[in-house]
Amino acid sequence: MDRNTLIGLVLMFAIITGSFYLMKPSESEIKQEQARQEAKARTEKGLPAESDSTAKAKAVQTAVIADSAELKKPFGATKFGTEKVITIENEKIIAKISTKGGKVKSVELKGEKNFNGKPLMLFDGEDNKFGFQFNAAGQNVSTNDLYFNTESSDIQVSGEGKQSVKFRLNYSAEQYIEYVYSIAGKGYNVGLDINTKGIQNLIPQSQKTLTLNWNTTLRQKEQNIESERQKSTLYYKEDNKVDHLSESKDADEALEKKVQWIAFKQHYFSSILSTKDGFVNAKVDVKHASETDIVKFYNTNAELAFDNHKDNNYSLNFFFGPNQYNVLKSEGNDYQSIINMGWGPMRWINQWITVPVFNFLDGFHMSYGIVILLLTLMLKLILSPMTYKSYVSMAKMRVLKPQLDEIKAKVGEDNQMLMQQEQMKLYKQVGVNPLGGCLPLVLQMPFTIAFFYFFPNLFELRGQSFLFMKDMSTYDTLFTFAPIFGSFNHISLMCILMTLTTLLTTWYNNATSGATGQMKYMGYIMPLIFFFVLNSFPAGLNYYYFLSALFTFLTQLVIRTMVNDEKILAKLEENKKNPKADKKSSFQTKMEEMMRAQQQAQQNKNKS
């Protein structure tokens, strides 16, 4: 064999060998051919072809077996599995718990509906994520993505009963994380006891806490999603003080003190997570959504103390329920503080007056339209003495108007200082306080503002109809149109009635008080401004303002028949002759001091 022949044989052998390895089918191609041959064999035997779901399941199973490297990682075997959902149900809620993540997958509130008539789900599917995040054997572990095992089945509890279901995330037979969900027959609570066994041997000794992540997307449940967004945010109780993130913008907060509970609050419903031992180093945030059907995104990362030398146990509790003041208060732990009752005096009025009176009337099981009617009537009766004093004071100013006009003509409008002094002198002589008609109205203002917070946050009005109002917790619609001025796209009939009644009352007040100038026209402008402000507010609130204005007008008509202008004028003229009239009130003294100071300042200015 010559040299050239030998070289040729070697090259041919190299080409054949290289072609064998280069043209060898990949593992996926082999699997595809096997599947094709199996399908062909099933067809030849007259058997039906495998469904796509069965084929995919086999492919996943093959991939799991093949990926031995992934299985060897901490909790590697739990990264693959088939989801199983367990339903736990009581008289108030239906909660579904998934083996994927061992988390609450969905919560339905019985007897409640969305604005579109569908069953009310607090959240559903992947909108809720919950689990621990930690490092084990050098690998980052998130239990939300892992598959738990369970031998539990669906449970339904009522009355005084209580049952539980267990989910276990196994690392080995003696090393696992166990979730025990419990539910009683009554109420909105789902208990969660977390037991860790043996995993302290997997976690670095330097790690003293486990991070718990809770992330939820809350979707639209009310007709007016803009209002729903304005009243939805994240609340928390830190160091026994309840606080919250901004309702109007994206916000986040790092909480340095121990946190007793965290609430993902939507307008009328909340999910609240609490723990007896408290969370530490909690970081919370809430973000607005660009999607049209999403209210907000909520997220919490909080830490639980972890002992590296023993098994650890945690007792948590979920509250899934309505933002109903009495329900939240009965839960304790200041849950009712997530309902915005206003600030300062307004909150006190709502907590200690409005809520008890409303509950008393609600106990008679009447329509909420009637309850609001009676509540308004009771308030007007209580405030009627002040209303009477206000009207009498306005009547005094009205009968004095001719004398005030004489002072203005005598002194001239150019000398405002002297005119005010002469007017104050007249007030002192006849014993009239020029602010007497305003003071009772000022005293009533806190109640008016308090109800501005009370009715839009009153859960009891949700879905309740009265007269032409189909749902008193949102605006009623007379007619709709293409949006103008932003989101202004409808007209509320109750808001129109409220505005017209307020204008009527304003006209009557101006007529009885003799108001002139800017104050007269301001009284007409403000109701028109409030129409555009309140047009999208709940019909229940506008209904209250309508009743309030109507009762005010009727009260003044009654008082008008009780007040005689001639008798009032005669009394004032008599006061001029009464030496006691020379005694100055504290108000008159302060007014005179202020006018003298202004007059002195004006004189000094003229000299300079």
Side-chain angles (χ1 to χ4, degrees):
M1 183 181 295
D2 59 10
R3 181 181 178 184
N4 291 334
T5 302
L6 181 60
I7 293 173
L9 290 173
V10 171
L11 290 175
M12 290 176 63
F13 179 80
I15 292 172
I16 293 172
T17 303
S19 298
F20 176 81
Y21 285 103
L22 291 174
M23 299 181 66
K24 180 182 178 181
S26 65
E27 187 175 348
S28 61
E29 290 174 334
I30 292 174
K31 292 176 183 177
Q32 290 177 358
E33 180 61 21
Q34 289 176 344
R36 189 181 68 81
Q37 292 295 335
E38 289 177 3
K40 181 178 179 182
R42 293 177 68 87
T43 302
E44 291 175 352
K45 293 179 181 180
L47 299 174
E50 285 186 332
S51 65
D52 289 342
S53 60
T54 304
K56 289 180 180 178
K58 283 189 175 183
V60 171
Q61 184 178 9
T62 304
V64 171
I65 296 173
D67 198 354
S68 58
E70 189 70 25
L71 292 174
K72 292 179 180 178
K73 294 180 180 179
F75 296 97
T78 63
K79 294 181 179 179
F80 310 96
T82 302
E83 183 182 28
K84 179 181 178 181
V85 177
I86 301 296
T87 300
I88 60 176
E89 179 180 354
N90 69 0
E91 297 173 2
K92 297 292 186 180
I93 64 175
I94 302 174
K96 295 183 181 295
I97 305 172
S98 171
T99 54
K100 184 178 181 182
K103 64 189 176 184
V104 180
K105 184 174 183 178
S106 69
V107 175
E108 177 184 346
L109 266 64
K110 291 183 174 182
E112 301 293 343
K113 301 291 183 182
N114 279 350
F115 72 101
N116 54 14
K118 295 182 179 180
L120 191 140
M121 310 292 294
L122 290 187
F123 50 80
D124 192 13
E126 292 303 311
D127 285 345
N128 188 59
K129 298 178 181 178
F130 179 87
F132 285 107
Q133 296 174 344
F134 57 91
N135 184 282
Q139 297 291 325
N140 292 325
V141 176
S142 176
T143 63
N144 180 77
D145 303 320
L146 306 180
Y147 285 87
F148 287 61
N149 293 324
T150 184
E151 296 180 359
S152 300
S153 57
D154 297 348
I155 59 174
Q156 186 172 4
V157 193
S158 60
E160 302 301 323
K162 186 175 183 180
Q163 295 187 41
S164 61
V165 293
K166 295 182 179 180
F167 295 77
R168 181 173 290 186
L169 182 69
N170 290 314
Y171 180 82
S172 68
E174 298 299 325
Q175 294 173 295
Y176 55 82
I177 298 175
E178 183 180 59
Y179 288 177
V180 181
Y181 288 95
S182 59
I183 187 170
K186 300 177 181 179
Y188 299 92
N189 293 287
V190 174
L192 172 57
D193 291 324
I194 301 175
N195 307 310
T196 69
K197 182 175 179 58
I199 66 168
Q200 64 269 22
N201 301 322
L202 306 174
I203 295 176
Q205 291 296 308
S206 59
Q207 188 168 332
K208 302 300 182 183
T209 60
L210 290 182
T211 299
L212 183 65
N213 173 258
W214 183 27
N215 184 303
T216 302
T217 299
L218 294 180
R219 298 183 180 273
Q220 180 180 5
K221 296 176 179 59
E222 313 303 329
Q223 174 179 305
N224 188 348
I225 191 171
E226 291 302 322
S227 176
E228 191 174 7
R229 285 169 175 159
Q230 292 169 7
K231 294 176 176 60
S232 302
T233 192
L234 187 149
Y235 276 73
Y236 54 88
K237 185 178 183 181
E238 181 188 21
D239 194 29
N240 294 316
K241 181 182 178 182
V242 178
D243 205 344
H244 63 89
L245 301 182
S246 172
E247 295 176 328
S248 59
K249 60 183 179 181
D250 295 349
D252 60 83
E253 190 77 33
L255 309 178
E256 299 177 354
K257 299 179 181 179
K258 185 172 289 188
V259 177
Q260 286 77 40
W261 52 258
I262 296 167
F264 291 174
K265 181 202 172 186
Q266 210 162 342
H267 187 178
Y268 287 116
F269 303 93
S270 288
S271 301
I272 307 176
L273 176 63
S274 62
T275 173
K276 295 179 180 178
D277 299 323
F279 302 107
V280 295
N281 300 324
K283 295 180 179 179
V284 295
D285 65 83
V286 60
K287 291 182 173 61
H288 283 68
S290 58
E291 292 85 346
T292 56
D293 66 331
I294 294 179
V295 176
K296 285 180 181 177
F297 301 104
Y298 296 74
N299 184 62
T300 292
N301 282 295
E303 296 179 3
L304 292 169
F306 183 77
D307 192 330
N308 298 93
H309 303 290
K310 66 176 184 179
D311 297 336
N312 291 262
N313 307 99
Y314 308 100
S315 180
L316 309 180
N317 185 79
F318 284 105
F319 171 87
F320 299 119
N323 295 331
Q324 189 171 1
Y325 189 87
N326 294 332
V327 171
L328 294 175
K329 189 174 182 179
S330 66
E331 293 291 330
N333 215 0
D334 294 325
Y335 279 2
Q336 74 277 7
S337 297
I338 69 175
I339 300 177
N340 187 1
M341 289 287 188
W343 50 271
M346 277 63 75
R347 186 174 187 86
W348 303 334
I349 289 172
N350 281 330
Q351 284 185 334
W352 305 114
I353 299 178
T354 310
V355 170
V357 172
F358 182 87
N359 289 339
F360 171 76
L361 296 173
D362 192 22
F364 292 97
H365 306 290
M366 299 177 290
S367 165
Y368 284 109
I370 302 300
V371 170
I372 295 176
L373 172 66
L374 295 176
L375 180 66
T376 310
L377 183 59
M378 290 174 65
L379 178 63
K380 287 299 179 181
L381 290 175
I382 293 172
L383 298 177
S384 58
M386 287 189 291
T387 304
Y388 177 79
K389 289 183 178 180
S390 175
Y391 186 90
V392 171
S393 182
M394 288 190 292
K396 290 178 180 179
M397 295 297 294
R398 181 174 64 251
V399 299
L400 283 178
K401 189 175 184 303
Q403 298 182 45
L404 294 173
D405 290 340
E406 289 180 8
I407 292 174
K408 183 184 297 185
K410 180 179 178 180
V411 176
E413 296 185 7
D414 295 336
N415 195 339
Q416 290 289 327
M417 190 70 63
L418 181 58
M419 184 174 67
Q420 290 176 1
Q421 288 179 342
E422 292 297 324
Q423 288 178 343
M424 290 302 300
K425 183 179 178 181
L426 175 63
Y427 294 147
K428 181 180 64 174
Q429 289 175 344
V430 298
V432 171
N433 185 345
L435 296 181
C438 301
L439 187 58
L441 297 178
V442 172
L443 294 176
Q444 295 180 51
M445 190 60 66
F447 289 90
T448 302
I449 300 176
F451 288 162
F452 181 80
Y453 289 98
F454 178 73
F455 286 112
N457 292 292
L458 186 60
F459 177 83
E460 283 82 351
L461 295 185
R462 190 177 188 274
Q464 298 296 319
S465 61
F466 183 69
L467 300 177
F468 54 83
M469 298 173 284
K470 296 180 179 179
D471 184 350
M472 298 178 72
S473 71
T474 188
Y475 57 82
D476 65 289
T477 304
L478 180 61
F479 56 85
T480 59
F481 43 83
I484 58 175
F485 305 121
S487 58
F488 186 77
N489 63 351
H490 68 277
I491 295 294
S492 165
L493 176 57
M494 185 51 71
C495 194
I496 289 179
L497 295 176
M498 180 272 296
T499 303
L500 293 176
T501 309
T502 305
L503 289 172
L504 175 63
T505 305
T506 301
W507 167 81
Y508 189 77
N509 285 338
N510 288 339
T512 55
S513 65
T516 58
Q518 294 181 350
M519 291 301 297
K520 176 180 179 179
Y521 296 105
M522 185 62 67
Y524 294 116
I525 294 174
M526 291 306 296
L528 297 177
I529 294 175
F530 279 117
F531 167 77
F532 291 98
V533 173
L534 298 174
N535 186 60
S536 294
F537 272 68
L541 177 65
N542 285 322
Y543 174 56
Y544 160 72
Y545 285 147
F546 161 73
L547 291 175
S548 180
L550 179 62
F551 286 153
T552 297
F553 176 71
L554 295 176
T555 301
Q556 290 180 348
L557 285 179
V558 173
I559 294 175
R560 182 73 177 90
T561 62
M562 301 167 57
V563 175
N564 187 307
D565 287 1
E566 294 181 356
K567 290 183 178 181
I568 290 177
L569 180 58
K571 178 63 176 176
L572 296 181
E573 291 296 336
E574 183 181 346
N575 288 342
K576 286 184 180 181
K577 304 173 183 179
N578 188 348
K580 293 182 181 180
D582 294 333
K583 184 178 179 180
K584 299 178 182 179
S585 67
S586 59
F587 170 78
Q588 291 170 332
T589 302
K590 290 180 180 179
M591 288 295 294
E592 289 182 1
E593 289 176 354
M594 290 175 58
M595 286 189 291
R596 280 196 295 268
Q598 292 177 359
Q599 187 175 17
Q600 185 63 41
Q602 185 65 35
Q603 291 174 354
N604 294 337
K605 183 178 179 181
N606 294 335
K607 290 180 180 179
S608 61

